[in-house]
Amino acid sequence: MQQKGATLRLANGMEFRGWSFGYDGPCDGETVFSTAMVGYPESLTDPSYSGQILCVTYPLVGNYGVPSEGVDENGISLNFESERIWVRGLVISEYSFNFSHWDAVKSLDQWLKEQKIPGIYGIDTRALTQVLRDNGSMLGMIVPDGVEKDFPVPDPNLDNQVAIVSCKEVIRYGHGDKKVVLVDCGVKHNILRCFVNRGVELIRVPWDYDFNQLEYDGLFISNGPGNPELCDVTVGNIRKAMETGKPIFGICMGNQLLARAAGAKTYKLKYGHRSHNQPARIIGTQKCYITSQNHGFAVDDSTLGEGWEPWFVNMNDGSNEGIRHKSLPFCSVQFHPEASSGPTDTKILFDEFIAKL
Amino acid sequence: MKDESIKKVLLLGSGALKIGQAGEFDYSGSQALKALKEEGIETVLINPNIATVQTSEGVADKIYFLPVTPFFVEKVIAKERPQGILLSFGGQTALNCGVEIYKSGVLEKYGVKVLGTPVQAIMDTEDRDLFVKKLDEIEVNTIKSHSAESMEEAREAAHNLGYPLIVRAAYALGGLGSGFVDNDEQLEEICEKAFSFSPQVLVEKSLKGWKEIEYEVVRDRFDNCITVCNMENFDPLGIHTGESIVVAPSQTLSNKDYHFLRELSIKIIRHIGIVGECNVQYAYDPDSMDYRVIEVNARLSRSSALASKATGYPLAFVAAKLGLGYGLFDLKNSVTKTTPAFFEPALDYIVCKIPRWDLSKFHGVSRKIGSSMKSVGEVMSVGRSFEETIQKGLRMIGQGAHGFVGNKEIVVKDLDEALREPTDTRIFAISKAMLAGYSVDKIHDLTKIDKWFLGKLENIVRTYHSLMGCERLEDVDFGLLRTAKQQGFSDHQIQAAVFGNSDIKPSVLQDKVREYRKSLGILPVVKQIDTLAAEFPAQTNYLYLTYNGTVNDIRYESDGKSVIVLGSGAYRIGSSVEFDWCSVSCLQEAQKQGYRGVMINYNPETVSTDYDMCDRLYFDELTFERVLDIIELETPHGVVVSVGGQIPNNLALRLHEHDVPILGTSAVDIDRAEDRHKFSSIVDALGIDQPEWSELTTMSDVDKFIKRVGYPVLVRPSYVLSGAAMNVCYDEAHLRRFLTLAAEVSAEHPVVISQFMTRCKEVEFDAVADNGKIVVYAISEHIEYAGVHSGDATIQFPAQKIYVETARRIRKVAAKIAEELHISGPFNIQFLAKENVVKVIECNLRASRSFPFVSKVMKLNFIELATKVMLGLHPSKPDKSTFDLDYVGVKSSQFSFARLQEADPLLGVDMSSTGEVGCLGDDMNEALLKSVISVGNNIPEKKVLISSGNALQKADMLLACHTLADHGYEIYATGGTFRYLQENNIPAVKVLWPNDEENPELKGRYPQVLDLIHNRKVDLVINIPKNFTDMELDNGYRIRRAAIDSNVPLFTNARLATAFIRAFCTMSLEDVQIKSWDEY
């Protein structure tokens, strides 16, 4: 097998040598790690990874290939979390050239090539993860041999990533008695499925769309990439919606934007939470959940405005995992109850929200 | 959060190690006891397994070396009055006993609360019907059998279930009339046949080729649930998970698959109501998301021990805490010490478990593996690629494999069949097939093993071919060499591939590879197993080595304060939990003396591989190469090779030659004891007697030797074709048969023949010496005459019936040997004794199997002393003597013949026991009774069957038969024995031998022996084999096998049977005292 060398270069000057796979070209972005052991097709298509180079700590990747593209009758992707790969580059230890799964139609390598996403394997991903853990997420680049590329490169967190990944026009899905407006900050398709499968009519709107003119029963603010401070337009719209008293629910970026609408500050975590094993506890109870997460920013819940309270807390580092209004039906979580990829323990939150409509 | 009413807790252990229930429960129990102790709860342990770590001083507050049976457990409860009891840490033995005392009301009577999972939940999972019903309630699929009594019903069942199906005739033994069915036509055909055997057929969904997946699930009383780990079997459904190669985490499951089954597991554990830990096993369709739940184990299991070691999540420890009422959120992750125990480990490596079989130790057993367990141990390897991990694992098994390739090729008649019908060597059949050019697709068709695994194995073969294409070492370029190492090739494998059949010694070539490899900068790196894939820093040093990485996780102190202890590897017949106890004792003492305790071992069933037990644990190979890698990193004060059994012992000389400091007895002296020729001449020079022996290469030399020493002789071939490696031959015909059919005699494969002494006592001498002077010793005596392997024998300590003069001679001989070999550390000598003549038969300059037994009986830890010696502390002689002991210890062996269908349960010179117990008593009778009951025997109520061998053996049994008759036992006896008893005025009932059945004159006139046993008309069988003629062996075999299959206690040794009969006729169970260890 012809192997082509490649280098992963970090902004702090460190270099890791490996082999190129997927698209044969360079890329750059914020280098982050995820400790999830399964779910690369889901992760790669998760818009929250926009602007990022993803390092997977589980060393064997590609084992079960890539499932088919294609959409269901609502136009929602069958097997992915969006229409394309959003990760800018993939860093792994061991690539499985042979894949085996009844549902697979192609290899990861082929898929990355088709989507023009560079990958690098043969990296000591544990060592890289320790660097990112100790120094924080940092800019990096994958450079195949024979290509000239060096720092500086633009910091994706300075760009409005939400604007890049959000839909450009209003899209409607499903049928039902209840209408939910979904503000698309980079929504994962499993969130769409979770609503549609529960018999809700979903109106997906762009991140900066003023949905207050629409008729709806509940408002949902989706997950999304990057810095929540760049989404003040959305925050303004949410504030307006809050005046109606209609139920609001948010996930991930949705948690951060609702918190900002509630007067709180957000901040960047050193290296974020990206895994399938984050423990979250409902504050003041003995109820705990294993959650799927993917975020680099968090809510400072000590700054929440009047009438609000923290709802969930991360049991590893004490960071905020959700907020709620003390009297009104407004709440949001930092983790991903829709899972995909990850554990499904908190799916019930969709039922709770829909029950309020 | 914890239940404050619980002050004292009883924990039931699992007893002797046996197939299906091994060392994992020492680990589970030890963890649970630690968890309770931390809470200030008083702990009481019942476990007769004296060699375990959990029965060591300080682990539990009170230890009872008693059988784990309802009778004894009730007695202990009545005496100790605990508030709580833990049932799920002692395997099936503890669970069954617990359910019984729950049902009989004992627990209620004494107000004992079952901690953790309620007994009802246990019963719901143990009873097949209840289990199916329970899971039906939440619409979870289980494997169901539909019975049909007509073709019509069979058709209906088939259409409901959908093809493929398996059809079996009900009530038919051995699978008569069963078969796989793919369509209506085949259904008619097979059913017709099945109905001819039985009025009822069972129709089941065929899950042949389905994946087998397991999840380890934890739940607290607040309903918080986590899945700690999932595992995937390399071997598809049909092979018991204990017999399968298993990887963790799963490799071929997508996110959808993984979380679908995970969600189901949590649904199940909630519905059943587990509080603590449980294991859910699935059959999973490789072509869809269809599944069946195979079973749920509502207790700690082999899989949970494996999962703990695979992830670093201490399941047993956590389960014990949850049993006390804690929530998962109350507990800390014991690796990070900062994050909570409520989380799911993220692995950044892959582990591979491989079973270890010892089937060649048993006569007559089939080598096919399937739905029942036959393996005696297992290994776990850790790496960052599948290729690396499986090759490491195959070396760890310790059966001569160097990895997946580069082994002595296995001999199979039909390769396709060897792939289709799995045996203990199937993985090597796959290797052979790949080397023979079989495609992955073809192998998949034959084995149904997922192509992902096979593809990875093919990568190894590809690299092997590239290596073989190199003429010289220098032709192996950097890229190829690194790839080979990343795929787990050992330096030895590389050497063999490149140099082929070179005249130079493999070890020299291996050194060359090592040197070359290091010159290219290809070195392994050390990584931590940290539960969170580096997301948080780890505070523990649970380590492995890999070539798939560039950075070491550990910074070494290089202060010469590390002591490396080499562990014992996979449990196997002859090396088991006793060496784990020795390793742990040694580590603890080294730490006490201010050294950093470093462990190398790879057996997931052990306590020594608990990262809490040492400062650094390398869960890695005990090969010369890997041990040297670690030594180069650690630069230790020294290495202990004498507490882990034979594996480390064998490494001593080579390590010494590479300038590694070996602690204790020098490697050169170890070699002088190990090398048969060297040791023999030392013994001769010291004027010590030994049985005559010779190493011979031709049949005529063999004849000459035997002419001189006479029969019987002990024959040890160096090359075995089939069957056992050692044999006692009683006459020429027997010898010829053995040396032509079973073994080989040639210049290349010499055979060692020694004089075999009959009716001799065998005596064990366990001791510790310091610079050639004995510091402490223990003399113990076998109850059986020599000829029963010391690992199978029943041993009494202190020796009860040897002459004072014999003991004195043994001491003197041992002192001479210790001095000559400059022993510093533990050693063991085996003696034969007959009328004050003593002969040395074996000497090992390492701890022996009986070290924990004698240490615990004497209450003096021999390994602690030996460790002090090895660290140069020159401990003074303890002022304790066996003459001061006013009690006796008896060690009995546990056999697993019930699991080994068709094996002849006969004891011989090769070891076949899988475990042991040791019990204490005020006298020999009491200790023996406890001990013999602890390995699964019962005192007979009324009827005893005796068939007692030759004249001498019959005479041996005479007194015991009188005793039986005097105590009102009814004796059933086969022909010769019956006559002998009549002549001696002992009433007996004559029974027919199995082959007498064919004699019309006898048939029907007397009861038939097999009927008596099968119908359990007798409750003790004593069968002493008379001679080794085929008919005698066959008759005896059928009796012995019937006893095992009908679960009737069986004794095949006259001396042991006599001792047992004397014991139970002297005292009853009620007379047995319930005394804890500290009360002796």
Side-chain angles (χ1 to χ4, degrees):
Chain A
M1 194 176 319
Q2 206 58 40
Q3 287 178 316
K4 184 173 183 184
T7 306
L8 172 75
R9 213 166 277 158
L10 294 181
N12 69 354
M14 286 183 85
E15 286 192 357
F16 293 78
R17 283 291 292 165
W19 307 102
S20 167
F21 79 117
Y23 178 64
D24 181 15
C27 70
D28 58 69
E30 183 188 20
T31 315
V32 298
F33 68 87
S34 165
T35 66
M37 298 187 287
V38 286
Y40 54 86
E42 290 86 351
S43 293
L44 292 176
T45 53
D46 178 351
S48 293
Y49 278 111
S50 174
Q52 295 174 331
I53 292 176
L54 174 63
C55 161
V56 178
T57 62
Y58 188 70
L60 287 75
V61 181
N63 301 11
Y64 51 88
V66 176
S68 60
E69 285 163 30
V71 292
D72 65 13
E73 70 276 13
N74 294 305
I76 303 171
S77 157
L78 281 172
N79 290 307
F80 301 115
E81 290 309 307
S82 68
E83 292 81 4
R84 54 164 280 197
I85 296 179
W86 284 105
V87 163
R88 287 191 186 173
L90 181 63
V91 182
I92 61 172
S93 176
E94 157 110 351
Y95 174 62
S96 214
F97 287 89
N98 303 305
F99 62 91
S100 167
H101 198 277
W102 62 273
D103 201 21
V105 296
K106 62 181 87 159
S107 71
L108 174 59
D109 176 62
Q110 188 190 340
W111 191 41
L112 291 176
K113 281 191 170 91
E114 285 168 11
Q115 300 251 343
K116 294 201 171 15
I117 305 297
I120 184 170
Y121 72 94
I123 297 295
D124 188 338
T125 44
R126 181 172 171 84
L128 172 61
T129 299
Q130 285 164 334
V131 169
L132 298 176
R133 176 187 82 201
D134 294 341
N135 301 294
S137 304
M138 64 179 92
L139 292 176
M141 57 178 68
I142 298 173
V143 190
D145 287 0
V147 176
E148 289 294 320
K149 183 176 170 72
D150 218 329
F151 291 103
V153 293
D155 180 353
N157 283 319
L158 299 177
D159 293 333
N160 186 342
Q161 294 294 334
V162 166
I164 296 170
V165 300
S166 177
C167 60
K168 306 298 177 249
E169 56 198 34
V170 177
I171 311 170
R172 289 173 186 264
Y173 303 91
H175 309 279
D177 301 341
K178 302 292 179 188
K179 280 195 187 78
V180 168
V181 164
L182 181 147
V183 181
D184 178 9
C185 301
V187 71
K188 283 167 66 185
H189 281 190
N190 208 41
I191 293 178
L192 306 180
R193 292 179 210 119
C194 282
F195 280 111
V196 172
N197 294 344
R198 283 172 173 78
V200 167
E201 184 181 339
L202 204 55
I203 310 161
R204 177 181 174 187
V205 303
W207 69 287
D208 54 353
Y209 184 87
D210 187 4
F211 48 81
N212 287 297
Q213 40 165 328
L214 298 174
E215 223 183 88
Y216 66 88
D217 302 299
L219 174 65
F220 176 83
I221 310 141
S222 85
N223 66 298
N227 188 345
E229 287 172 29
L230 303 176
C231 298
D232 282 347
V233 186
T234 321
V235 171
N237 289 336
I238 296 168
R239 282 214 179 102
K240 259 190 266 169
M242 276 158 54
E243 287 164 18
T244 69
K246 286 183 196 165
I248 304 177
F249 182 42
I251 289 175
C252 195
M253 175 62 88
N255 184 50
Q256 293 160 16
L257 298 183
L258 186 64
R260 292 185 71 83
K265 292 195 174 73
T266 50
Y267 63 99
K268 191 169 190 320
L269 292 165
K270 190 171 178 188
Y271 52 90
H273 295 155
R274 289 173 194 87
S275 70
H276 290 169
N277 64 349
Q278 295 285 336
R281 181 174 181 166
I282 299 182
I283 292 167
T285 73
Q286 288 144 342
K287 294 305 299 171
C288 310
Y289 301 91
I290 298 291
T291 65
S292 173
Q293 302 202 7
N294 172 16
H295 62 107
F297 290 81
V299 171
D300 175 359
D301 57 21
S302 67
T303 57
L304 278 170
E306 194 67 27
W308 289 81
E309 62 184 2
W311 184 15
F312 286 88
V313 64
N314 185 303
M315 295 160 72
N316 280 346
D317 62 6
S319 65
N320 178 269
E321 287 293 349
I323 58 167
R324 64 181 165 194
H325 195 277
K326 288 176 183 165
S327 55
L328 297 166
F330 308 153
C331 63
S332 60
V333 289
Q334 188 57 54
F335 51 83
H336 288 266
E338 83 283 4
S340 194
S341 56
T344 52
D345 303 1
T346 48
K347 271 189 314 196
I348 185 162
L349 292 175
F350 285 97
D351 301 311
E352 285 178 8
F353 172 61
I354 290 165
K356 286 186 213 157
L357 304 179
Chain B
M1 284 302 157
K2 100 178 205 233
D3 183 347
E4 295 296 340
S5 67
I6 307 289
K7 310 270 184 228
K8 192 191 229 183
V9 169
L10 172 64
L11 186 137
L12 303 186
S14 65
L17 270 60
K18 50 189 164 203
I19 291 178
Q21 186 168 289
E24 61 270 16
F25 299 109
D26 187 19
Y27 170 59
S28 308
S30 300
Q31 288 246 317
L33 290 166
K34 189 163 73 182
L36 296 177
K37 206 150 205 188
E38 218 179 68
E39 299 296 326
I41 289 170
E42 200 183 333
T43 52
V44 181
L45 168 68
I46 305 180
N47 190 356
N49 192 337
I50 203 162
T52 53
V53 176
Q54 61 179 253
T55 57
S56 300
E57 208 185 323
V59 180
D61 295 303
K62 291 265 183 192
I63 296 163
Y64 288 88
F65 295 118
L66 287 175
V68 184
T69 61
F71 176 85
F72 286 100
V73 172
E74 178 172 1
K75 294 263 184 196
V76 172
I77 289 175
K79 184 178 165 198
E80 293 285 347
R81 300 307 302 263
Q83 290 87 36
I85 187 168
L86 288 171
L87 305 177
S88 49
F89 298 84
Q92 203 62 36
T93 300
L95 203 69
N96 290 349
C97 180
V99 169
E100 268 189 64
I101 55 174
Y102 168 80
K103 282 186 181 162
S104 67
V106 169
L107 295 180
E108 203 186 344
K109 179 174 160 195
Y110 293 97
V112 185
K113 192 173 157 191
V114 174
L115 305 180
T117 301
V119 176
Q120 186 55 51
I122 294 170
M123 296 192 297
D124 285 345
T125 56
E126 292 284 309
D127 180 302
R128 193 73 209 167
D129 289 335
L130 285 179
F131 175 69
V132 169
K133 251 181 235 155
K134 194 80 189 167
L135 293 200
D136 277 348
E137 288 167 12
I138 49 169
E139 292 171 349
V140 169
N141 300 340
T142 47
I143 299 173
K144 283 174 212 165
S145 246
H146 293 250
S147 57
E149 284 170 18
S150 67
M151 200 55 145
E152 197 44 52
E153 283 177 26
R155 256 182 241 128
E156 198 187 314
H159 292 154
N160 285 337
L161 288 165
Y163 295 110
L165 297 167
I166 179 164
V167 173
R168 293 187 291 138
Y171 318 113
L173 277 176
L176 280 174
S178 71
F180 291 97
V181 169
D182 277 325
N183 50 47
D184 289 356
E185 221 168 281
Q186 288 176 358
L187 180 77
E188 305 279 330
E189 194 183 309
I190 298 272
C191 280
E192 200 172 308
K193 207 160 51 169
F195 279 124
S196 72
F197 286 105
S198 162
Q200 192 187 55
V201 302
L202 302 171
V203 184
E204 271 172 34
K205 181 97 185 154
S206 162
L207 307 178
K208 206 173 160 190
W210 281 32
K211 300 180 188 194
E212 194 169 339
I213 311 280
E214 293 181 58
Y215 280 73
E216 298 298 322
V217 202
V218 178
R219 176 174 175 266
D220 67 18
R221 68 185 175 102
F222 307 100
D223 206 23
N224 296 309
C225 297
I226 56 171
T227 61
V228 165
C229 181
N230 88 339
M231 293 178 255
E232 175 172 6
N233 286 10
F234 169 91
D235 301 289
L237 204 72
I239 299 178
H240 190 286
T241 177
E243 303 282 276
S244 295
I245 295 175
V246 176
V247 297
S250 60
Q251 295 300 316
T252 68
L253 298 193
S254 68
N255 175 70
K256 262 188 210 163
D257 301 322
Y258 184 104
H259 287 286
F260 170 60
L261 296 180
R262 179 188 173 278
E263 195 178 322
L264 270 176
S265 305
I266 290 175
K267 189 171 166 186
I268 292 167
I269 191 175
R270 286 197 163 127
H271 187 64
I272 292 174
I274 305 287
V275 176
E277 200 271 349
C278 101
N279 157 280
V280 185
Q281 284 174 32
Y282 296 99
Y284 197 54
D285 186 357
D287 297 314
S288 77
M289 288 176 74
D290 198 6
Y291 74 95
R292 299 289 181 280
V293 175
I294 302 170
E295 65 175 27
V296 170
N297 277 309
R299 57 167 171 85
L300 276 296
S301 61
R302 180 180 34 263
S303 295
S304 65
L306 180 67
S308 296
K309 296 291 161 73
T311 61
Y313 193 99
L315 280 165
F317 181 86
V318 169
K321 294 268 183 178
L322 299 185
L324 293 174
Y326 282 105
L328 278 163
F329 47 82
D330 290 321
L331 310 173
K332 283 270 171 277
N333 174 335
S334 38
V335 170
T336 63
K337 318 258 192 215
T338 55
T339 54
F342 180 80
F343 80 107
E344 299 190 349
L347 282 60
D348 58 3
Y349 48 85
I350 169 175
V351 309
C352 182
K353 178 216 86 173
I354 308 180
R356 151 97 191 197
W357 290 274
D358 264 332
L359 296 178
S360 58
K361 297 265 183 190
F362 306 104
H363 292 276
V365 73
S366 153
R367 301 198 77 111
K368 285 205 176 121
I369 57 171
S371 55
S372 72
M373 201 170 153
K374 291 178 178 174
S375 61
V376 289
E378 62 189 31
V379 303
M380 182 182 98
S381 56
V382 192
R384 280 170 60 86
S385 75
F386 177 73
E387 295 90 329
E388 178 180 47
T389 312
I390 192 142
Q391 290 225 78
K392 278 172 100 170
L394 290 172
R395 282 193 287 277
M396 289 172 174
I397 291 295
Q399 281 173 325
H402 299 293
F404 180 64
V405 290
N407 302 312
K408 195 165 165 186
E409 220 175 296
I410 61 160
V411 182
V412 289
K413 266 194 224 120
D414 177 345
L415 190 51
D416 285 18
E417 189 190 304
L419 293 169
R420 210 182 310 113
E421 308 278 344
T423 67
D424 56 336
T425 55
R426 179 162 75 172
I427 184 78
F428 300 111
I430 296 172
S431 169
K432 194 181 172 99
M434 284 186 170
L435 289 169
Y438 280 44
S439 69
V440 162
D441 287 337
K442 180 163 182 187
I443 298 172
H444 169 76
D445 285 344
L446 290 163
T447 60
K448 299 291 172 214
I449 293 169
D450 196 285
K451 286 182 196 172
W452 185 83
F453 292 111
L454 297 174
K456 292 283 178 186
L457 292 175
E458 203 181 36
N459 290 342
I460 298 174
V461 172
R462 208 172 287 133
T463 303
Y464 183 57
H465 283 306
S466 303
L467 287 169
M468 287 202 296
C470 298
E471 300 259 311
R472 302 166 311 148
L473 198 51
E474 294 69 34
D475 296 343
V476 183
D477 64 17
F478 177 86
L480 176 57
L481 189 56
R482 190 176 64 174
T483 301
K485 294 308 281 185
Q486 288 181 335
Q487 291 180 349
F489 279 82
S490 68
D491 289 348
H492 175 91
Q493 270 175 304
I494 293 168
Q495 165 276 124
V498 174
F499 296 106
N501 289 325
S502 166
D503 296 336
I504 308 169
K505 258 172 75 179
S507 59
V508 173
L509 294 171
Q510 186 186 330
D511 285 347
K512 274 193 164 174
V513 174
R514 185 179 185 86
E515 210 176 295
Y516 174 65
R517 174 168 64 69
K518 286 169 80 174
S519 75
L520 295 180
I522 301 174
L523 292 168
V525 293
V526 179
K527 296 284 185 196
Q528 282 171 309
I529 292 176
D530 69 1
T531 71
L532 285 165
E535 189 184 354
F536 288 88
Q539 306 301 325
T540 48
N541 284 309
Y542 180 14
L543 310 167
Y544 67 98
L545 274 71
T546 176
Y547 280 90
N548 292 288
T550 50
V551 181
N552 272 336
D553 276 2
I554 301 295
R555 266 177 252 298
Y556 289 95
E557 302 84 354
S558 304
D559 56 1
K561 295 289 276 178
S562 298
V563 168
I564 298 182
V565 178
L566 303 186
S568 60
Y571 286 168
R572 61 195 69 190
I573 289 181
S575 172
S576 154
V577 67
E578 59 277 0
F579 294 114
D580 196 46
W581 177 85
C582 291
S583 302
V584 169
S585 295
C586 179
L587 276 172
Q588 286 174 337
E589 186 58 30
Q591 286 177 316
K592 213 185 285 170
Q593 299 303 334
Y595 289 91
R596 202 176 291 112
V598 178
M599 185 75 212
I600 310 179
N601 198 6
Y602 49 75
N603 181 341
E605 304 176 295
T606 57
V607 180
S608 64
T609 54
D610 181 347
Y611 54 79
D612 267 5
M613 298 308 296
C614 53
D615 295 292
R616 279 202 278 269
L617 165 66
Y618 292 87
F619 209 107
D620 218 302
E621 293 175 64
L622 285 162
T623 52
F624 169 75
E625 176 183 346
R626 186 43 42 95
V627 169
L628 198 58
D629 291 337
I630 295 169
I631 288 168
E632 285 173 359
L633 290 164
E634 286 279 350
T635 54
H637 167 69
V639 179
V640 177
V641 297
S642 56
V643 297
Q646 203 55 34
I647 295 175
N649 205 51
N650 290 349
L651 291 175
L653 196 59
R654 247 175 119 188
L655 289 174
H656 170 75
E657 285 165 2
H658 285 74
D659 302 323
V660 172
I662 303 289
L663 296 180
T665 312
S666 83
V668 174
D669 286 319
I670 293 174
D671 181 57
R672 288 169 74 208
E674 286 287 310
D675 184 302
R676 193 186 299 281
H677 296 280
K678 288 181 191 165
F679 183 67
S680 187
S681 45
I682 289 170
V683 169
D684 287 344
L686 292 174
I688 297 166
D689 210 0
Q690 57 177 325
E692 275 206 66
W693 69 278
S694 191
E695 190 174 270
L696 306 158
T697 54
T698 66
M699 269 322 270
S700 73
D701 288 347
V702 169
D703 292 338
K704 253 183 260 165
F705 176 77
I706 295 177
K707 205 164 209 179
R708 193 151 53 80
V709 303
Y711 283 101
V713 287
L714 177 65
V715 187
R716 271 178 277 204
S718 56
Y719 185 67
V720 180
L721 299 169
S722 71
M726 264 200 288
N727 226 322
V728 177
C729 296
Y730 288 84
D731 52 37
E732 194 173 336
H734 189 202
L735 177 84
R736 302 247 164 238
R737 199 167 56 229
F738 181 58
L739 284 184
T740 48
L741 291 180
E744 196 182 299
V745 191
S746 66
E748 204 187 335
H749 299 295
V751 55
V752 173
I753 300 196
S754 25
Q755 187 186 10
F756 183 74
M757 321 258 299
T758 52
R759 301 181 77 79
C760 243
K761 287 196 171 175
E762 196 167 332
V763 179
E764 302 268 340
F765 186 87
D766 290 313
V768 176
D770 188 357
N771 207 11
K773 295 268 175 293
I774 292 174
V775 181
V776 65
Y777 71 91
I779 297 178
S780 41
E781 176 191 358
H782 292 199
I783 288 178
E784 297 86 349
Y785 280 138
V788 173
H789 190 283
S790 68
D792 288 348
T794 312
I795 295 178
Q796 43 193 337
F797 173 69
Q800 298 291 300
K801 289 184 175 169
I802 59 171
Y803 300 116
V804 176
E805 175 62 19
T806 303
R808 185 163 40 236
R809 288 188 185 181
I810 284 173
R811 266 200 315 273
K812 280 187 182 163
V813 169
K816 273 193 206 169
I817 293 175
E819 191 169 5
E820 171 62 29
L821 294 172
H822 319 102
I823 300 176
S824 280
F827 71 104
N828 159 277
I829 306 176
Q830 284 166 32
F831 291 95
L832 293 180
K834 195 171 185 176
E835 288 142 16
N836 278 333
V837 174
V838 302
K839 294 184 189 228
V840 171
I841 46 177
E842 207 175 307
C843 173
N844 291 303
L845 304 198
R846 56 165 173 83
S848 77
R849 199 176 301 115
S850 37
F851 265 60
F853 172 61
V854 297
S855 292
K856 285 181 188 175
V857 175
M858 253 180 110
K859 301 190 186 178
L860 184 69
N861 189 326
F862 278 35
I863 296 296
E864 243 173 62
L865 272 173
T867 307
K868 283 193 181 120
V869 167
M870 291 187 279
L871 292 173
L873 298 168
H874 306 298
S876 50
K877 282 191 182 183
D879 52 357
K880 214 173 198 176
S881 154
T882 49
F883 298 111
D884 302 338
L885 299 183
D886 41 19
Y887 55 90
V888 191
V890 171
K891 179 161 102 72
S892 291
S893 299
Q894 170 79 53
F895 299 92
S896 297
F897 292 117
R899 292 264 179 183
L900 299 158
Q901 283 162 28
E902 292 164 25
D904 189 348
L906 194 56
L907 306 189
V909 283
D910 221 354
M911 184 168 162
S912 58
S913 67
T914 54
E916 63 186 35
V917 298
C919 297
L920 304 177
D922 284 356
D923 60 26
M924 178 58 201
N925 286 333
E926 193 191 11
L928 183 87
L929 206 55
K930 287 178 183 174
S931 181
V932 168
I933 293 172
S934 292
V935 291
N937 296 299
N938 294 309
I939 296 177
E941 283 176 20
K942 261 193 89 69
K943 294 174 184 176
V944 178
L945 173 77
I946 302 178
S947 110
S948 63
N950 63 27
L952 212 51
Q953 291 159 337
K954 285 190 171 63
D956 283 345
M957 287 296 303
L958 184 60
L959 200 61
C961 292
H962 270 299
T963 313
L964 280 176
D966 291 348
H967 282 79
Y969 282 96
E970 207 174 320
I971 300 176
Y972 288 75
T974 47
T977 309
F978 172 73
R979 274 195 304 279
Y980 183 76
L981 293 175
Q982 275 199 319
E983 286 160 17
N984 287 283
N985 299 318
I986 298 172
V989 179
K990 180 176 171 161
V991 298
L992 293 183
W993 284 101
N995 70 325
D996 287 340
E997 271 292 87
E998 291 139 33
N999 184 339
E1001 279 183 37
L1002 293 171
K1003 194 176 175 182
R1005 282 180 58 196
Y1006 303 101
Q1008 217 273 350
V1009 63
L1010 297 183
D1011 292 343
L1012 282 178
I1013 300 172
H1014 286 312
N1015 301 327
R1016 301 186 53 105
K1017 290 271 170 56
V1018 289
D1019 35 22
L1020 173 65
V1021 173
I1022 295 165
N1023 173 268
I1024 318 292
K1026 181 181 349 183
N1027 55 43
F1028 289 80
T1029 62
D1030 286 343
M1031 207 228 311
E1032 172 72 24
L1033 274 176
D1034 181 59
N1035 262 327
Y1037 167 75
R1038 287 164 72 185
I1039 292 177
R1040 291 187 291 274
R1041 200 57 234 180
I1044 295 294
D1045 292 334
S1046 311
N1047 201 18
V1048 177
L1050 168 73
F1051 288 80
T1052 58
N1053 183 283
R1055 285 178 57 88
L1056 178 59
T1058 301
F1060 180 50
I1061 289 168
R1062 192 189 320 118
F1064 71 72
C1065 287
T1066 310
M1067 65 195 309
S1068 73
L1069 263 194
E1070 289 294 339
D1071 300 329
V1072 170
Q1073 298 193 62
I1074 305 301
K1075 276 162 79 171
S1076 62
W1077 187 21
D1078 59 332
E1079 291 173 282
Y1080 282 99

